[in-house]
Amino acid sequence: MKKLLLYLIICAGMLFAACERDPFGTGTSYNFKVSADTVSFDTVFTTIHSVTLNFRIFNEDVSDLEIDEITLMGGDNSPFRLNIDGVPENKVKNIVINGGDSMYVFVEANLDVTNLSNPLIIVDSVLIRSKQKSSFVKLLAYGQDVVHMRASGDQDYIFLDDNKTVRAIYLEDYELTNEKPYLFHDHVYVDSASTLRVKSGVTMYMKTGKSLFIGGTLKMEGSLEDPITVRGDRLDEVYEGLSYDKIDGQWGYIYLLAGSRNNQITYTNIRNSEYGIIADTVVTADAPTLEISHSRIVNVSKTALVGRGASIKADNCLFANCGEFVLAFIIGGSYELNHCTIGNYYNSYFSTRKDPAVLLNNFYLDANEIIQPRHLEKAQFRNCIIYGDYGSNYEVALNNRSGDRVVNAEFEYLFDHCLIKGGSVLDTMDVQHFRNIIWDKDPKFLSPKVNFDFTLDTLSAARDAGSIEFAEQFPLDIMGTNRLNDDGPDMGAFEFVLEEDQ
């Protein structure tokens, strides 16, 4: 009787197990799940491999999953390439994924030259098929043909102050036109007797660490309708929701070397660099280093505009969001800024800033740590805004002292009709240097941190507070709006416009 009872229990257990999923996965599954229905690339340059993206195939069963095939539908003629679970093939068959496991399919794109100036859409798909299910993952890329700029042969040129040898693209008189964007794989050096001319609508993509070194003259001739753009070459995302366009320090800078002259920049957007522009020592007073207007230098890991004993004139410009100073006018020089917005709400994902927005200085320390005076002949700010979120509650630093000793060199500066953060540090009663100043009132920029939007809010203290006399010399703001059509010109680069007037 006991033997019969034991036999019945064992049979009942076997029957129950037959009705349930095999806990040890000895069966076979044909069902799977895919992590994405589309793999989408941002703009991919021709002849350059894209970043590598991926999707996953999941086996959520405890049993092994059998997939009959994973196939790139365009085959070997497709601009896309697959790596399937470590195998660099566009088609594999009879793949097994263990119960509860998954596998990766990696995708990259490599586009042929198209000779098209506008981006084109490239589409393909990946088929995943088992005995019970088929699924497609769409592949999407925006292709852009570019002009690849590379140094040729043994082009190694010594042109930096410290005699550093740098591989560079050597240019004599040269013009960049807007038929296609340009991708610079190497540094650029413009000969001291030559001019680099950049026409409106040109986009210049710079590889990591690459810079423009101007020994002669740079003419960047953008327009309101077709501005020039200089930026890093990464067009993808660091991760979902964070574009590389928000990451600073992706390329080097524009360096106007000592003796470079008559440089002019209009309607140009410079971003994502280590520095924006470094302007070195002027040689003759009748050949200014730089004139820049209606331009933006933003999202820079160090300083947007550096003047080293240079001669610079700027109007209707935005200089903003830098890891160090926004403007550093050092080792003397001559500087005039009209209707400029200097704002710093640096929001790097990797560091924070420790310097105010503006630095003025009239000396340098030589190799022996001895002070070498240099005249700051002029630093004039008119109808400007200088503001930010620097924790020390000021955004202008005046440096003409070494220890307790005043440097024996001219230190001439004037802020006239400006909004400035710094009344707790600067001498607000010094009318020789500060005239008609709005101290420490938030200009109420619309979205300076997230969107780099430095247009003014309706309640901004900078509205209608500029000098008409100065504005008449610069009537059009950075967006081409006439600032003389209302109750008064606004301070800064942006004239406030009601939405219904836009």
Side-chain angles (χ1 to χ4, degrees):
M1 185 67 181
K2 289 182 179 180
K3 289 183 179 180
L4 177 62
L5 180 61
L6 179 60
Y7 175 77
L8 292 174
I9 292 174
I10 293 172
C11 289
M14 292 176 65
L15 179 63
F16 179 79
C19 297
E20 294 295 317
R21 179 181 291 173
D22 184 349
F24 300 103
T26 56
T28 301
S29 172
Y30 303 104
N31 194 25
F32 59 87
K33 181 180 178 181
V34 183
S35 63
D37 59 8
T38 302
V39 175
S40 180
F41 293 83
D42 290 302
T43 303
V44 178
F45 298 129
T46 55
T47 74
I48 300 293
H49 285 285
S50 70
V51 296
T52 300
L53 303 181
N54 67 77
F55 63 90
R56 295 173 70 182
I57 303 171
F58 294 94
N59 176 13
E60 296 182 332
D61 205 317
V62 295
S63 302
D64 288 347
L65 165 66
E66 289 187 7
I67 295 179
D68 292 341
E69 67 170 314
I70 301 174
T71 301
L72 179 64
M73 297 305 291
D76 291 338
N77 293 323
S78 172
F80 298 97
R81 291 291 178 267
L82 303 184
N83 184 302
I84 303 170
D85 200 30
V87 179
E89 295 288 347
N90 293 328
K91 181 175 183 178
V92 296
K93 292 186 174 182
N94 303 322
I95 306 157
V96 175
I97 303 177
N98 294 332
D101 204 350
S102 65
M103 63 173 289
Y104 281 92
V105 178
F106 296 95
V107 187
E108 67 175 27
N110 188 6
L111 310 184
D112 292 332
V113 174
T114 63
N115 291 317
L116 295 176
S117 57
N118 296 319
L120 67 155
I121 300 176
I122 309 297
V123 179
D124 203 340
S125 61
V126 177
L127 167 67
I128 304 108
R129 182 176 61 83
S130 70
K131 288 182 173 61
Q132 291 182 346
K133 180 179 179 180
S134 293
S135 181
F136 288 91
V137 175
K138 185 177 180 180
L139 307 181
L140 178 66
Y142 297 89
Q144 174 67 68
D145 200 5
V146 296
V147 179
H148 294 275
M149 301 290 286
R150 293 184 174 93
S152 59
D154 58 350
Q155 286 185 322
D156 289 335
Y157 293 92
I158 299 173
F159 54 88
L160 298 183
D161 292 342
D162 58 1
N163 290 328
K164 181 181 178 181
T165 301
V166 177
R167 181 172 175 80
I169 304 163
Y170 181 86
L171 298 179
E172 295 180 336
D173 288 333
Y174 199 88
E175 183 174 273
L176 303 181
T177 58
N178 64 3
E179 283 78 13
K180 297 179 185 179
Y182 293 80
L183 177 59
F184 289 86
H185 297 262
D186 294 294
H187 295 294
V188 176
Y189 174 56
V190 177
D191 181 82
S192 60
S194 300
T195 297
L196 172 61
R197 193 175 298 273
V198 184
K199 306 303 287 184
S200 64
V202 167
T203 297
M204 303 169 63
Y205 293 108
M206 308 296 296
K207 283 287 186 181
T208 302
K210 303 309 177 187
S211 300
L212 300 174
F213 295 92
I214 310 298
T217 300
L218 175 65
K219 302 285 188 183
M220 304 188 79
E221 302 168 341
S223 66
L224 176 63
E225 296 77 15
D226 293 300
I228 295 166
T229 298
V230 190
R231 54 159 297 169
D233 71 322
R234 294 295 298 268
L235 304 177
D236 52 313
E237 292 184 328
V238 182
Y239 51 79
E240 186 174 355
L242 177 59
S243 167
Y244 267 99
D245 204 33
K246 297 289 187 181
I247 303 299
D248 54 312
Q250 294 182 48
W251 58 282
Y253 38 82
I254 298 174
Y255 198 141
L256 308 177
L257 298 168
S260 176
R261 60 212 174 275
N262 297 326
N263 300 285
Q264 295 180 330
I265 297 176
T266 58
Y267 287 105
T268 296
N269 301 323
I270 300 169
R271 63 181 185 265
N272 314 129
S273 54
E274 181 181 358
Y275 291 92
I277 299 172
I278 302 173
D280 218 324
T281 310
V282 66
V283 176
T284 60
D286 60 345
T289 313
L290 172 65
E291 294 181 359
I292 179 171
S293 68
H294 295 87
S295 296
R296 308 176 191 220
I297 306 178
V298 300
N299 197 27
V300 174
S301 63
K302 293 186 178 177
T303 300
L305 180 59
V306 179
R308 296 165 44 91
S311 173
I312 297 176
K313 294 181 179 180
D315 70 84
N316 294 292
C317 289
L318 171 65
F319 306 106
N321 294 6
C322 303
E324 296 180 355
F325 305 101
V326 176
L327 304 180
F329 297 153
I330 57 177
I331 320 179
S334 176
Y335 309 94
E336 297 179 28
L337 284 85
N338 293 279
H339 276 291
C340 289
T341 296
I342 301 105
N344 208 356
Y345 297 80
Y346 184 66
N347 190 29
S348 173
Y349 294 85
F350 309 108
S351 64
T352 56
R353 69 175 173 125
K354 301 178 181 179
D355 301 295
V358 174
L359 169 65
L360 303 181
N361 164 278
N362 66 343
F363 66 91
Y364 71 96
L365 297 177
D366 64 18
N368 297 314
E369 298 295 315
I370 298 174
I371 291 177
Q372 299 297 332
R374 288 283 187 88
H375 294 306
L376 181 64
E377 299 172 1
K378 179 194 297 184
Q380 180 176 279
F381 298 77
R382 306 190 305 177
N383 283 4
C384 293
I385 297 175
I386 305 172
Y387 209 84
D389 58 0
Y390 181 48
S392 296
N393 205 36
Y394 68 99
E395 293 289 0
V396 176
L398 306 172
N399 182 18
N400 67 331
R401 291 176 176 270
S402 178
D404 296 330
R405 184 164 63 90
V406 175
V407 174
N408 185 26
E410 292 181 21
F411 194 60
E412 298 296 330
Y413 60 92
L414 173 63
F415 298 84
D416 195 342
H417 283 83
C418 294
L419 187 155
I420 302 175
K421 182 178 181 180
S424 62
V425 175
L426 301 171
D427 185 355
T428 60
M429 304 303 292
D430 179 8
V431 295
Q432 179 182 353
H433 297 110
F434 300 100
R435 301 174 187 169
N436 304 296
I437 302 300
I438 298 175
W439 292 103
D440 301 319
K441 288 191 176 181
D442 190 334
K444 297 186 183 299
F445 300 125
L446 286 186
S447 183
K449 277 192 176 183
V450 178
N451 298 318
F452 308 150
D453 185 352
F454 284 81
T455 53
L456 301 177
D457 180 78
T458 306
L459 301 178
S460 173
R463 284 193 60 197
D464 303 331
S467 163
I468 295 178
E469 177 187 354
F470 302 153
E472 286 175 341
Q473 302 172 48
F474 307 94
L476 299 183
D477 81 344
I478 192 171
M479 300 296 293
T481 302
N482 193 320
R483 53 171 49 99
L484 302 177
N485 287 341
D486 59 9
D487 294 337
D490 301 343
M491 294 174 173
F494 297 89
E495 182 72 11
F496 177 84
V497 179
L498 289 172
E499 289 187 8
E500 56 265 28
D501 296 335
Q502 291 180 342

